[in-house]
């Protein structure tokens, strides 16, 4: 592309001397870019520090390979939970990965844009209806479905899992229904959006010539897709699966409802199990001294597991893509041509893709229906507009606390994230080692499970810095959670700004910093807005990272120095003691509605940008 | 292919309207089952929870071994699941007539539309029976702080409110008053001090009671300019917070250990019963400690209809 021509060459408009303001700006950008490195080391450091008492007292090997977890009797062995976490994740990736990848293939190649219904009758109303249906863009709707699935808070999935999945699997029997099978399916549903959207991106990135070339050689559509395009997108698909694995390992709030939570080795598909994440969530509130330290050490094991997964993602070679694709093409050409009118296997794959897409659609429908049926009747005026009190949860204080949380988080995270993205896209040399290192750390940070962020925030902000459970502590923790999202989406937005715009600005004598602030950033504004909205979505849906940092109080004074509940945390605390289940279901409806609204805003921003171009 | 998609769409639209008509409030009921079904599975709380601690300590088999004794070197039966909250216990019990669980009496009383309590050793879980000691499953609700004299005036005033006639009436709604406190309860004197914030953290079991108490406390001080924050983070966290000065008052749903008492003062404000619960409509009316012990430790089913 033309981008490579002038990329990263600082224009020499001021002779050889670099203005101090330019230098200052550059240093600022570098510092911001390095914050994610500091954050990752900080998290590892503090969690390690918190784990040391446990390792010293229990012994590292006794802890890691001990088979009995009985904190009341000072027995801390996490091997059963480690094994359970691995098995459940494997199950989730087999089910969710397959369905996700095939759904992506269906969306990329077979999903029709629109319904093509024909109506020959004379009823005007029916004709209008049919016209209206024909106008619906199917692909867009499916994209939105996947985004909504991604935005539903974990805790809502948990309620859904208990009341729908567990009941379905137990078949009326009091025992059973919970365990490896249910957890795997639950997590499969939760990683579906990640796997599907990233796989689809990978498939879309394969040059059209591959597909067209394959068709020109006489392949059927199914053959072209499964024998040429999918292998060419292999590295992207593998990355999507690895990211899915990371999410499955780190999920806590949903698993707690469907696993039975016994720290035992699995004896069957439906025996009660406990995973590493749920171990922390279950016992953190009651733990003191060595028990607390053992739970932090559980977080450390989890963190190491996630680090291994994220780093292995970096081992998937990026150049692999093209080579592999070419090989397939060359291979086909050099080998003795075998003509088959119909490749049975690809066709099966195509149909399977359709089935998977159907499953995804049905799943979302089921979850939304479940939430609406349980919750719409609970949206009482008292709850929505009632005055806040300390013993009756109402929407007001939680909304205020959530808004403050979003405000403080974004005020810190947006400038830092944007500056980091500016460094990565405008200053750093493509492919340089620093960029690679920074990227790796950003990916690592985005892979850290929420519950580990919660532990870290609790140790550093709540305890060490003495902020107590407060909106401040919650917001500081959330800054780290949303930073990778902001950096990555802003970077994409900056990358999309055409190079000639910058060149024209340089040509007119503007400095690099001036160009960035006057030309590049304004052009990238819609992308940055999208980044903020994605971040807001993440903050609204987050619960595990906030419970131990922001508290669970029903009332909120408005002062960010005091504890308050965000909407998702309020849902958690309403459901917790069983006093306020109606309010919990009502909150689930509200969170779902917010997810939909945020997705729609993103959609319209992106559409308006597309129209402009 | 388009027809297929159309079919899927139509089916989806139909199901939306069908289920939409049934929209109501709360979870949808699971399928009907035998109300006389034997109890074959049980739900426990997680280790460290105040409710679990009291249950394990009190429930003993015919030989006098408690669940606590059995757990030293042993484990709960494989038919027992562990849940992290009262709500999860109640939701799970309400799924089937074959499951039994236990929960704070106060929480149970708020959920009588889905679960019912059974008698334990032939005694009903009532206030009188818990006070007289006939109903054996109960535990204390505690406040804890480093030193009463060093408490802020606001904290002292709240405690005096809890122990006034008005405060004791609130405690008595879902929980059991301490007789000596209730008898001595008198008029409450509204707060006149200057402190404006009070932070209370700890047991999630005590939290609902504390929320009711503080709501009334605020109402009893019209035009007040103080803010009380209550965070349910678990007994252990509440105690640790009190030790390290991160709160003004800690809440605990168990008595403090001797080690904890070295640095903290405990202050009981109520007694809470632990209700043994089954799904609403179950024909099980009574369980013995021996049956509970055997269900939780050995997984022995409780046969409904055989109880005396």
């Amino acid at each position: 592309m033309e981008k490579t021509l002038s990329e990263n060459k600082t224009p020499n408009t001021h002779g050889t001397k670099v203005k101090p303001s330019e230098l200052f700006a550059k240093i600022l950008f570098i510092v911001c870019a390095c914050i994610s490195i500091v954050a990752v080391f900080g998290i590892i450091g503090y969690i390690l520090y918190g784990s040391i008492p446990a390792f010293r007292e229990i012994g590292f090997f006794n802890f890691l390979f001990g088979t009995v977890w009985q904190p009341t009797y000072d027995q801390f062995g996490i091997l059963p939970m480690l094994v359970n976490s691995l098995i459940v994740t494997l199950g989730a990736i087999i089910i969710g990965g397959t369905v996700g990848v095939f759904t992506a293939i269906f969306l990329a190649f077979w999903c029709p844009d629109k319904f093509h219904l024909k109506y020959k009758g004379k009823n005007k109303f029916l004709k209008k209806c049919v016209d209206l249906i024909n106008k619906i863009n199917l692909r867009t709707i499916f994209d939105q479905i996947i985004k909504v699935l991604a935005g539903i808070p974990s805790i809502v999935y948990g309620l859904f899992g208990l009341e729908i999945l567990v009941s379905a699997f137990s078949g009326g029997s009091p025992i059973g229904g919970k365990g490896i099978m249910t957890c795997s399916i639950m997590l499969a549903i939760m990683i579906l959006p990640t796997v599907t959207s990233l796989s689809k991106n990978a498939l879309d990135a394969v040059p059209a010539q591959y597909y067209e070339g394959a068709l020109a050689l006489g392949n059927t559509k199914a053959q072209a897709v499964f024998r040429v395009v999918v292998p060419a997108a292999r590295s992207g698909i593998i990355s999507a699966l690895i990211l899915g694995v990371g999410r499955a390992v780190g999920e806590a709030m949903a698993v707690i409802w469907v696993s039975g939570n016994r720290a035992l080795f699995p004896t069957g598909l439906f025996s009660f199990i406990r995973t590493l994440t749920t171990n922390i969530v279950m016992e953190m509130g009651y733990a003191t001294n060595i028990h607390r330290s053992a739970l932090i050490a559980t977080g450390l094991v989890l963190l190491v597991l996630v680090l291994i997964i994220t780093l292995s993602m970096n081992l998937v070679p990026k150049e692999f893509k093209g080579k592999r694709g070419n090989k397939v093409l060359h291979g086909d050409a050099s080998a003795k041509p075998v003509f088959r009118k119909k490749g049975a296997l690809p066709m099966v794959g195509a149909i399977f893709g359709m089935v998977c897409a159907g499953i995804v659609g049905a799943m979302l429908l089921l979850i939304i229906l479940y939430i609406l049926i349980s919750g719409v009747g609970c949206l009482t005026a008292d709850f929505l507009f009632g005055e806040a009190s300390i013993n009756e949860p109402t929407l007001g204080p939680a909304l205020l606390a959530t808004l403050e949380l979003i405000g403080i988080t974004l005020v810190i995270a947006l400038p830092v994230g944007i500056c980091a993205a500016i460094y990565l896209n405008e200053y750093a040399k493509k492919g340089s080692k620093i960029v690679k290192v920074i990227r790796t750390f950003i990916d690592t940070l985005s892979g850290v499970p929420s519950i580990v962020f919660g532990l870290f925030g609790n140790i550093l902000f709540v305890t060490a810095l003495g902020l107590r459970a407060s909106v401040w502590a919650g917001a500081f923790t959330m800054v780290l959670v949303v930073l990778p999202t902001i950096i990555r989406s802003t970077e994409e937005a900056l990358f999309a700004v055409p190079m000639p715009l910058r060149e024209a600005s340089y040509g007119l004598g503007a400095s690099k910093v001036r160009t960035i602030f006057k030309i590049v950033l304004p052009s990238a504004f819609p992308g940055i807005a999208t980044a903020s909205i994605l971040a807001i979505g993440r903050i609204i849906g987050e619960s595990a990272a906030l419970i131990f940092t922001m508290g669970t109080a029903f009332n909120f004074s408005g002062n960010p120095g005091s504890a308050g509940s965000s909407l998702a945390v309020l849902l958690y605390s309403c459901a917790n003691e069983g006093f306020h289940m109606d309010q919990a279901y009502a909150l689930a409806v509200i969170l779902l509605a917010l997810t939909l609204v945020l997705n729609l805003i993103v959609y319209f921003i992106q559409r308006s940008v597309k129209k402009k171009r | 292919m388009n027809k297929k998609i159309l079919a899927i769409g139509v089916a989806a639209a139909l199901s939306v309207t069908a289920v939409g008509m049934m929209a109501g409030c709360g979870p949808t009921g699971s399928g009907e089952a035998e109300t006389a079904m034997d109890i074959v599975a049980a739900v426990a709380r997680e280790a460290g929870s105040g409710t679990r601690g009291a249950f394990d300590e009190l429930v003993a088999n015919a030989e006098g071994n408690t669940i606590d004794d059995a757990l030293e070197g042993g484990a709960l039966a494989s038919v027992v699941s562990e849940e992290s909250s009262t709500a999860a216990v109640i939701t799970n019990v309400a799924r089937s007539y074959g499951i039994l669980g236990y929960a704070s009496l106060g929480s149970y009383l708020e959920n009588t539309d889905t679960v019912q309590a059974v008698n334990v050793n032939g005694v009903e879980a009532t206030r009188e029976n818990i006070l007289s000691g006939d109903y054996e499953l109960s535990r204390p609700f505690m406040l804890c702080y480093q030193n009463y004299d060093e408490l802020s005036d606001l904290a002292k005033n709240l405690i005096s409110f809890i122990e006034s006639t008005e405060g004791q009436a609130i405690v008595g709604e879902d929980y059991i008053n301490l007789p000596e406190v209730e008898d001595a309860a008198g008029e409450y004197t509204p707060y006149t001090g200057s402190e404006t914030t009070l932070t209370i953290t700890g047991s999630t079991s005590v939290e609902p009671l504390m929320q009711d108490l503080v709501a009334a406390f605020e109402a009893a001080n019209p035009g007040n300019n103080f803010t009380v924050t209550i965070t349910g983070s678990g007994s252990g966290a509440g105690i640790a917070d009190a030790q390290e000065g991160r709160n003004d008052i800690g809440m605990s749903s168990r008595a403090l250990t001797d080690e904890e008492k070295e640095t903290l003062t405990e202050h009981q404000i109520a007694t809470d019963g632990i209700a043994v619960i089954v799904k609403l409509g179950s024909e099980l009316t009574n369980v013995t400690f021996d049956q509970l012990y055997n269900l939780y430790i050995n997984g022995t089913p409780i046969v409904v209809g055989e109880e005396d």
Side-chain angles (χ1 to χ4, degrees):
Chain A
M1 281 194 279
E2 76 263 74
K3 200 171 179 343
T4 45
L5 281 174
S6 53
E7 194 177 40
N8 302 320
K9 277 186 194 149
T10 313
N12 229 347
T13 46
H14 303 281
T16 46
K17 259 193 187 170
V18 181
K19 263 175 136 189
S21 63
E22 295 276 311
L23 193 68
F24 173 74
K26 190 176 174 183
I27 291 172
L28 180 75
F29 296 146
I30 295 179
V31 169
C32 286
C34 291
I35 281 183
S36 48
I37 301 182
V38 176
V40 171
F41 277 117
I43 290 171
I44 296 175
Y46 269 97
I47 301 283
L48 190 64
Y49 170 73
S51 321
I52 287 173
F55 288 139
R56 194 182 293 153
E57 206 132 317
I58 305 160
F60 182 74
F61 283 96
N62 287 340
F63 178 73
L64 205 57
F65 298 109
T67 56
V68 181
W69 177 270
Q70 284 226 38
T72 346
Y73 299 99
D74 285 335
Q75 283 178 299
F76 302 97
I78 60 159
L79 191 63
M81 290 172 277
L82 187 59
V83 170
N84 289 332
S85 274
L86 293 177
I87 295 179
V88 164
T89 306
L90 188 71
I93 205 68
I94 290 174
I95 303 168
T98 319
V99 174
V101 170
F102 276 93
T103 304
I105 294 172
F106 172 77
L107 285 183
F109 293 100
W110 274 280
C111 182
D113 271 344
K114 286 180 181 166
F115 289 107
H116 299 283
L117 302 181
K118 277 172 194 152
Y119 179 71
K120 286 174 187 161
K122 284 176 185 170
N123 189 325
K124 273 190 180 169
F125 175 71
L126 272 180
K127 193 164 166 48
K128 267 193 180 166
C129 285
V130 170
D131 282 348
L132 209 67
I133 292 174
N134 280 339
K135 270 188 192 157
I136 297 172
N137 190 330
L138 265 181
R139 238 177 249 247
T140 318
I141 287 193
F142 233 110
D143 275 351
Q144 290 303 313
I145 284 183
I146 288 165
K147 282 186 184 134
V148 171
L149 266 179
I152 296 175
S154 312
I155 218 158
V156 174
Y157 276 110
L159 285 172
F160 166 80
L162 179 66
E163 284 179 1
I164 306 293
L165 289 184
V166 175
S167 301
F169 281 123
S170 64
S173 149
I175 323 174
K178 291 184 174 189
I180 288 177
M181 189 70 190
T182 326
C183 289
S184 297
I185 290 178
M186 174 97 252
L187 289 174
I189 298 172
M190 297 183 74
I191 62 171
L192 260 178
T194 317
V195 175
T196 309
S197 56
L198 291 178
S199 306
K200 187 169 172 283
N201 288 351
L203 289 169
D204 287 345
V206 175
Q209 296 94 305
Y210 281 36
Y211 176 61
E212 285 157 8
L215 287 184
L217 286 169
N219 285 304
T220 64
K221 181 172 180 177
Q223 284 170 333
V225 170
F226 283 96
R227 299 250 156 91
V228 177
V229 183
V230 173
R234 218 168 80 169
S235 76
I237 292 176
I238 291 175
S239 305
L241 291 176
I242 293 176
L243 218 67
V245 170
R247 285 207 58 176
V249 170
E251 178 53 45
M253 305 312 283
V255 178
I256 238 179
W257 297 83
V258 297
S259 61
N261 301 312
R262 291 294 303 280
L264 304 169
F265 286 111
T267 52
L269 283 181
F270 292 110
S271 71
F272 296 139
I273 55 154
R274 181 188 290 194
T275 60
L276 291 172
T277 45
T278 49
N279 194 36
I280 303 172
V281 180
M282 299 258 314
E283 297 185 355
M284 195 60 193
Y286 296 99
T288 42
N289 306 331
I290 192 77
H291 184 190
R292 185 182 149 87
S293 177
L295 291 177
I296 296 173
T298 312
L300 183 69
V301 173
L302 193 65
L303 189 60
V304 170
L305 218 58
V306 171
L307 286 184
I308 294 173
I309 292 165
T310 342
L311 290 178
S312 68
M313 189 158 72
N314 286 310
L315 295 180
V316 179
K318 298 273 185 292
E319 304 82 45
F320 195 60
K321 231 192 272 179
K323 271 187 199 158
R324 173 72 185 160
N326 285 336
K327 232 195 226 164
V328 171
L329 287 181
H330 288 312
D332 273 358
S334 60
K336 216 179 177 191
V338 182
F339 293 106
R340 271 180 294 183
K341 263 198 168 171
K342 271 186 184 176
L345 212 59
M347 205 51 220
V348 171
I351 292 169
F352 186 63
M354 206 156 26
V355 173
C356 289
I359 293 175
V360 174
M363 222 60 230
L364 181 84
L365 209 65
L366 205 61
I367 293 174
I368 291 183
L369 280 180
Y370 164 76
I371 296 172
L372 290 182
I373 291 170
S374 321
V376 167
C378 304
L379 290 169
T380 57
D382 265 354
F383 176 69
L384 292 178
F385 310 110
E387 204 182 318
S389 85
I390 199 156
N391 58 342
E392 272 304 309
T394 55
L395 191 61
L399 206 56
L400 180 64
T402 312
L403 289 178
E404 274 188 23
L405 179 71
I406 291 172
I408 299 173
T409 309
L410 288 190
V411 161
I412 305 168
L414 266 186
V416 173
I418 292 174
C419 289
I422 289 176
Y423 174 75
L424 288 175
N425 197 63
E426 306 290 325
Y427 284 88
K429 289 195 185 77
K430 278 276 132 59
S432 78
K433 272 206 175 137
I434 310 171
V435 174
K436 264 187 195 160
V437 170
I438 293 176
R439 284 247 161 73
T440 311
F441 276 94
I442 293 172
D443 287 346
T444 311
L445 195 61
S446 73
V448 173
S450 305
I451 183 70
V452 174
F453 278 117
L455 282 179
F456 169 73
N458 186 274
I459 299 173
L460 178 62
F461 301 127
V462 177
T463 312
L465 296 183
L467 290 174
R468 294 188 174 186
S470 61
V471 177
W472 286 122
F476 292 154
T477 312
M478 285 315 289
V479 166
L480 301 180
V481 176
V482 298
L483 202 55
T485 316
I486 293 180
I487 296 178
R488 212 174 291 149
S489 348
T490 309
E491 221 189 318
E492 268 168 38
L494 294 176
F495 186 75
V497 176
M499 210 55 200
L501 272 182
R502 296 183 183 84
E503 283 155 1
S505 171
Y506 297 152
L508 290 170
S511 69
K512 181 149 187 165
V513 173
R514 205 178 156 82
T515 306
I516 288 170
F517 282 103
K518 296 267 163 170
I519 307 291
V520 181
L521 280 184
S523 327
F525 179 74
I528 295 170
T530 308
S532 338
I533 292 165
L534 289 178
I536 292 174
R538 183 80 206 260
I539 299 171
I540 289 178
E542 184 57 60
S543 48
L546 290 173
I547 289 166
F548 300 123
T549 53
M550 207 167 119
T552 55
F554 286 161
N555 62 340
F556 178 58
S557 63
N559 175 1
S562 62
S565 296
S566 77
L567 293 170
V569 176
L570 185 65
L571 169 56
Y572 166 83
S573 49
C574 278
N576 212 19
E577 285 304 298
F579 278 107
H580 306 290
M581 285 313 280
D582 287 356
Q583 284 92 332
Y585 285 110
L587 277 165
V589 174
I590 292 169
L591 284 171
L592 186 71
L594 281 176
T595 314
L596 282 172
V597 169
L598 288 178
N599 277 328
L600 283 179
I601 295 175
V602 172
Y603 170 69
F604 282 115
I605 291 177
Q606 283 170 349
R607 208 173 67 162
S608 73
V609 173
K610 260 186 205 162
K611 268 188 185 163
K612 262 188 205 163
R613 295 237 165 100
Chain B
M1 195 182 293
N2 289 330
K3 273 183 187 164
K4 269 183 209 161
I5 291 164
L6 176 66
I8 294 170
V10 170
L14 280 180
S15 54
V16 171
T17 34
V19 191
M21 285 174 198
M22 312 187 299
C25 179
T28 47
S30 47
E32 284 301 305
E34 279 292 326
T35 52
M37 186 190 271
D38 293 343
I39 304 290
V40 293
V43 186
R45 287 292 302 274
E46 76 279 23
S49 127
T51 322
R52 161 89 178 259
F55 188 83
D56 285 1
E57 191 186 317
L58 295 167
V59 173
N61 66 359
E63 285 86 52
N65 293 325
T66 63
I67 291 182
D68 253 343
D69 295 335
L71 287 182
E72 198 157 6
L76 292 174
S78 63
V79 296
V80 182
S81 74
E82 287 181 24
E83 303 298 340
S84 65
S85 66
T86 307
V89 172
I90 291 172
T91 323
N92 276 287
V93 168
R95 278 173 48 226
S96 162
Y97 288 107
I99 306 180
L100 173 148
Y102 53 83
S104 156
L105 190 61
S107 299
Y108 154 68
L109 289 173
E110 296 282 329
N111 286 281
T112 45
D113 53 336
T114 55
V115 292
Q116 66 189 34
V118 296
N119 295 349
V120 176
N121 294 334
V123 183
E124 199 185 340
T126 61
R127 181 189 148 83
E128 291 71 32
N129 290 338
I130 292 171
L131 270 182
S132 69
D134 291 340
Y135 186 82
E136 294 169 65
L137 283 174
S138 70
R139 40 100 182 243
F141 275 2
M142 295 284 186
L143 300 184
C144 59
Y145 38 77
Q146 293 185 357
N147 189 335
Y148 183 81
D149 295 330
E150 284 168 21
L151 280 180
S152 70
D153 287 341
L154 185 56
K156 280 180 188 164
N157 193 264
L158 174 64
I159 292 174
S160 77
F161 174 80
I162 294 172
E163 295 182 345
S164 70
T165 321
E166 208 178 327
Q168 286 300 300
I170 293 166
V171 172
E173 279 170 23
D174 283 334
Y175 304 90
I176 296 127
N177 308 75
L178 300 179
E180 62 275 16
V181 176
E182 198 184 9
D183 293 344
E187 274 297 297
Y188 162 70
T189 323
Y191 178 63
T192 50
S194 56
E195 286 114 353
T196 55
T197 59
L198 181 64
T199 309
I200 305 172
T201 66
S203 162
T204 50
S205 300
V206 187
E207 188 186 10
L209 170 62
M210 188 55 81
Q211 286 168 343
D212 285 343
L213 284 168
V214 170
F217 176 62
E218 286 175 342
N221 286 287
N224 67 70
N225 62 343
F226 56 75
T227 315
V228 184
T229 322
I230 306 170
T231 299
S233 46
S235 299
I239 292 166
D241 285 348
Q243 283 169 333
E244 287 159 37
R246 282 195 299 271
N247 63 14
D248 296 295
I249 300 177
M251 306 179 281
S252 167
S253 58
R254 59 169 171 81
L256 268 58
T257 62
D258 290 338
E259 192 186 335
E260 286 159 355
K261 276 188 205 156
E262 282 170 19
T263 49
L264 294 179
T265 312
E266 63 178 11
H267 188 133
Q268 188 172 355
I269 54 166
T271 305
D272 179 36
I274 296 174
V276 173
I277 51 173
V278 289
K279 182 171 178 177
L280 189 68
S282 164
E283 289 172 29
L284 184 75
T285 53
N286 182 47
V287 288
T288 63
F289 268 10
D290 195 49
Q291 283 175 319
L292 286 177
Y293 177 94
N294 282 315
L295 175 65
Y296 275 90
I297 296 299
N298 303 323
T300 320
I302 298 175
V303 181
V304 174
E306 276 188 6
E307 68 260 24
D308 33 28

